[in-house]
Amino acid sequence: MTGAGDGLVIGLGNPWRGDDGVGWRLAAAAGGCCVRQLTPDLAEKLVGPSRVLFIDGWLAPGGARRPRLRPLLPAGAGGGSHGLAPALLLTVAFDLYGVRPAAALLLVPIVACPHDRRLSPALRWQLPAARRLLHRWQAAGPCMS
Amino acid sequence: MARTITIDPVTRLEGHARITLQVDDRGALVAARFHVTELRGFETFCEGRPFSEMPMLTARICGICPVSHQLCAARTGDKLLAVQPPATARGLRQLLNLAQICQSHALSFFYLSSADVLLGWTDDPDRRGIFGLIAADPELARAGIRLRQFGQGVIERLAGRRIHPSWVVPGGVRSALTPATRAWILEHLPEARRTAALALERFKALLDGRLQRDARRFGDLPSLFMALVAADGSWACSDGALRIVDSQGVIVADRLSEDAMPSMIDEAVEPWTYLRFPYLRARGRIDGHYRVGPLARLNVCSGIGTPWADREWREFRQRAGAPVVTSSFAYHHARLVEIVACLEGIARLVDDDSLCQGRVRARAALNANEAIGVSEAPRGTLFHHYVVDDDGLITRINLIIATGQNNRAMNLALEAVAREELPWPIGPGVELPAQLLNRLEAAIRCYDPCLSCSTHAAGAMALQVQLRGADGQVWADDRRP
């Protein structure tokens, strides 16, 4: 839990692979849950919170430079069980537990994913904006999701 | 016109592979092959590293069975140190292995094979994995996911992490069982037992109905079976000796030490796959193929040693109506029986106060330059063989993995299913029904192969590279013998 009411923050990524770890870092700083990938067992964590925010790195088409926060609805079916998309995890949570938390996805544009714990300079520039969106989501009620 | 039918990639495996069926001019099946198309190279980059690092390094082979490699590497390390780990450490390693087998079998049954087993063969491929089960039977899906979580939870609490823990070391383990971990296990065991009972009930009902034919005939083939057994011949997953039985249930070798492995087992290679073909030298490359894993363990042992698992084991053998169960499909049933064995074994071990106290590690300097370790991984018997210099640095390493030992059986099972299920002879342009292709994949999934574990000997592999033009002409052909 994030400490912001009953909202859950889930950060996705690999903290050992440069910018890919940005979701992990932001979620850890917010007291959220950090995972390298989404698996079906995580659906159980969605039982209880009324809101959930996924944070992930984003190889933006066209090189978008600003983090984006957008609402997320359950979607998708099938695929592998080792790496679910956030929308599919919402579907699994509904199918298994009948829960449907209001969900949002914070996408942070990433540049490079070398074998390194450091973030790229370009991404570091974006961190304040990403944090502002995270704090806005935390401060807002369910309508924000 | 000769043609090749290809399924690429084969889905719901741990790794990457493809299946080909080769058909001659008359439309008859020439060969069915399981091509493993990935190479890891682990044995090569372990060379030069200290043997004490092997539990951590070899664990990185796989994210599903790191614990199995750690246990086998530590066992090999024990022998290089020439120490017997304290009884507490041996019990704790066994507890870890039981949790590992439980979580891996739950993954195989519920996540990867449940659609084949429980939902039938004709479903939309997009709904055939865990998501198909979630949609069709959320209660069982929920329970299966939580059963895997239980196994992972035991590993995490005992060894510090679910994946790639660093708790098992040559000479023992790093810490004893804590009261908190023991309490957590005891709290969650009843739910895990209920899930195992539910899965067995559903599965056996299908065996009596829709799956009756598959249970006996799906990928049915004769072979030898090899596994560890305890001193009294009962099921064992850690300490024990090797036993081999044939398809009639005759014990052909017993009380074998893992030290006999190099003289007992050879490994053949083929140019069309990175997966080796281990076989018993004494019987030759064709007749010497053997199977390992859950089916082999239940065929080889003379009982499990715990009440519920013993009942399930007897029923498992009785249903086959033969001294040994030979259908590949029976691997699924065997996994469920082993989950019961693991849960009962875990309950027995956590009831032992000695696991919470006493010495957990024996320390010594290097006392040998070569050692072979063995343990039972979820998918079968696992061997680690190290040669080290006087500083304990690895100079030679060979890992014989369960999936490799089942390689010939997987190819034979594929051929058996292809012959049984496809409408031979096949003419040009014939449409193959999706459910038949699903059954070919399912023949491989019976063995729950872990390809990331079993393809890592770059230097020993025959390698062929062909460059072909769009018209199929070979422009260049390079091969390493």
Side-chain angles (χ1 to χ4, degrees):
Chain A
M1 299 294 175
T2 63
D6 63 347
L8 171 69
V9 175
I10 299 177
L12 280 155
N14 182 346
W16 295 88
R17 291 299 301 269
D19 290 355
D20 189 40
V22 66
W24 181 294
R25 282 169 183 244
L26 288 169
C33 166
C34 305
V35 295
R36 286 177 171 78
Q37 56 203 6
L38 298 176
T39 49
D41 54 297
L42 282 169
E44 199 177 353
K45 286 191 180 292
L46 273 52
V47 178
S50 66
R51 301 190 304 142
V52 58
L53 175 69
F54 297 92
I55 310 176
D56 200 1
W58 178 36
L59 272 172
R65 292 182 180 178
R66 304 294 295 172
R68 292 184 185 178
L69 179 65
R70 61 180 178 82
L72 191 65
L73 294 171
S81 54
H82 286 7
L84 278 59
L88 182 53
L89 185 67
L90 296 173
T91 303
V92 171
F94 181 74
D95 288 347
L96 282 180
Y97 301 105
V99 296
R100 197 167 180 172
L105 177 62
L106 174 55
L107 291 169
V108 187
I110 62 174
V111 178
C113 301
H115 293 277
D116 194 333
R117 299 204 73 171
R118 289 171 297 186
L119 301 177
S120 67
L123 178 54
R124 285 203 294 272
W125 270 102
Q126 297 304 320
L127 279 180
R131 286 195 191 101
R132 276 196 297 277
L133 289 173
L134 169 59
H135 293 153
R136 211 169 86 198
W137 180 86
Q138 286 178 311
C143 59
M144 182 64 207
S145 297
Chain B
M1 178 180 146
R3 63 183 286 213
T4 300
I5 299 163
T6 304
I7 300 174
D8 185 11
V10 183
T11 58
R12 284 179 282 136
L13 303 180
E14 302 302 341
H16 307 283
R18 74 172 187 270
I19 291 169
T20 61
L21 303 180
Q22 292 168 22
V23 181
D24 68 11
D25 290 342
R26 290 169 298 173
L29 179 67
V30 177
R33 285 176 175 168
F34 177 55
H35 305 256
V36 177
T37 53
E38 64 179 52
L39 176 68
R40 305 294 302 286
F42 254 86
E43 279 148 332
T44 299
F45 62 70
C46 284
E47 289 175 7
R49 305 304 307 171
F51 78 90
S52 55
E53 288 184 358
M54 288 303 107
M56 286 304 295
L57 266 181
T58 57
R60 260 62 187 183
I61 289 172
C62 184
I64 304 298
C65 35
V67 164
S68 305
H69 285 289
Q70 287 190 323
L71 289 166
C72 199
R75 170 87 179 124
T76 314
D78 298 343
K79 293 171 75 172
L80 290 171
L81 298 173
V83 297
Q84 171 81 305
T88 302
R90 295 201 303 276
L92 289 165
R93 283 183 181 180
Q94 193 179 359
L95 180 58
L96 188 70
N97 203 13
L98 293 170
Q100 162 67 9
I101 292 172
C102 179
Q103 72 88 9
S104 180
H105 282 0
L107 174 71
S108 172
F109 186 84
F110 294 99
Y111 283 64
L112 304 179
S113 291
S114 57
D116 300 333
V117 173
L118 302 172
L119 305 182
W121 304 101
T122 58
D123 291 318
D124 175 358
D126 281 346
R127 305 293 295 177
R128 290 181 56 79
I130 182 70
F131 306 106
L133 183 65
I134 287 170
D137 193 340
E139 180 197 4
L140 190 62
R142 237 179 354 250
I145 289 169
R146 285 185 59 82
L147 179 62
R148 180 162 191 247
Q149 280 180 307
F150 169 74
Q152 290 179 311
V154 175
I155 293 169
E156 184 174 22
R157 282 160 181 81
L158 200 57
R161 296 170 67 179
R162 287 183 177 197
I163 302 173
H164 303 144
S166 57
W167 178 72
V168 184
V169 291
V173 297
R174 292 192 191 278
S175 58
L177 179 68
T178 65
T181 296
R182 179 196 232 178
W184 186 90
I185 293 171
L186 289 171
E187 181 189 341
H188 288 83
L189 260 173
E191 182 189 352
R193 289 173 63 101
R194 285 195 298 276
T195 300
L198 177 67
L200 271 164
E201 180 193 320
R202 299 272 171 92
F203 185 76
K204 286 192 284 190
L206 289 168
L207 289 182
D208 294 332
R210 178 170 57 75
L211 294 177
Q212 206 165 30
R213 178 173 171 273
D214 287 326
R216 286 178 181 273
R217 297 187 59 175
F218 192 78
D220 190 25
L221 56 108
S223 73
L224 299 165
F225 295 92
M226 183 175 79
L228 287 177
V229 291
D232 62 357
S234 64
W235 185 84
C237 66
S238 298
D239 298 323
L242 294 163
R243 175 183 282 179
I244 302 170
V245 303
D246 66 15
S247 294
Q248 308 306 314
V250 177
I251 296 175
V252 299
D254 203 6
R255 298 176 192 281
L256 294 170
S257 160
E258 65 271 25
D259 295 335
M261 184 270 284
S263 59
M264 186 172 76
I265 296 172
D266 200 357
E267 296 175 272
V269 294
E270 294 288 352
W272 43 268
T273 180
Y274 283 116
L275 193 56
R276 290 178 284 182
F277 291 81
Y279 62 93
L280 298 180
R281 287 177 190 270
R283 297 212 170 197
R285 186 168 167 169
I286 302 301
D287 295 333
H289 86 91
Y290 59 95
R291 284 188 271 182
V292 297
L295 180 64
R297 286 191 286 258
L298 296 197
N299 276 334
V300 159
C301 72
S302 54
I304 304 290
T306 53
W308 180 18
D310 266 330
R311 287 198 304 276
E312 296 294 344
W313 173 77
R314 275 193 294 275
E315 183 180 340
F316 172 80
R317 302 270 286 245
Q318 286 163 357
R319 279 175 175 272
V324 160
V325 188
T326 52
S327 158
S328 299
F329 194 79
Y331 267 93
H332 296 304
H333 191 177
R335 277 186 199 100
L336 293 178
V337 177
E338 286 203 326
I339 286 174
V340 173
C342 290
L343 296 177
E344 287 190 311
I346 288 170
R348 183 176 282 184
L349 281 165
V350 295
D351 195 38
D352 181 355
D353 287 337
S354 70
L355 294 193
C356 297
Q357 58 204 7
R359 288 175 59 240
V360 293
R361 187 172 183 179
R363 295 178 188 273
L366 183 69
N367 281 304
N369 291 101
E370 183 172 3
I372 299 169
V374 65
S375 70
E376 286 292 337
R379 292 159 183 81
T381 314
L382 171 63
F383 294 98
H384 281 203
H385 182 184
Y386 308 155
V387 178
V388 300
D389 65 16
D390 290 341
D391 296 318
L393 302 180
I394 300 278
T395 58
R396 192 156 55 83
I397 175 170
N398 189 30
L399 312 175
I400 298 186
I401 313 294
T403 294
Q405 293 169 88
N406 283 331
N407 194 7
R408 183 163 165 74
M410 287 191 285
N411 280 272
L412 291 173
L414 202 56
E415 191 170 318
V417 171
R419 288 194 189 286
E420 179 97 354
E421 304 291 341
L422 298 180
W424 305 105
I426 288 180
V430 68
E431 288 292 326
L432 298 175
Q435 64 167 310
L436 296 185
L437 299 181
N438 288 340
R439 287 173 80 88
L440 289 173
E441 284 190 299
I444 298 299
R445 277 196 292 271
C446 289
Y447 291 84
D448 188 24
C450 190
L451 307 180
S452 40
C453 277
S454 50
T455 54
H456 39 71
M461 284 292 163
L463 190 66
Q464 179 179 14
V465 179
Q466 284 192 331
L467 180 63
R468 289 176 179 267
D471 57 357
Q473 291 289 315
V474 177
W475 293 352
D477 189 343
D478 194 8
R479 66 182 65 202
R480 187 182 63 210

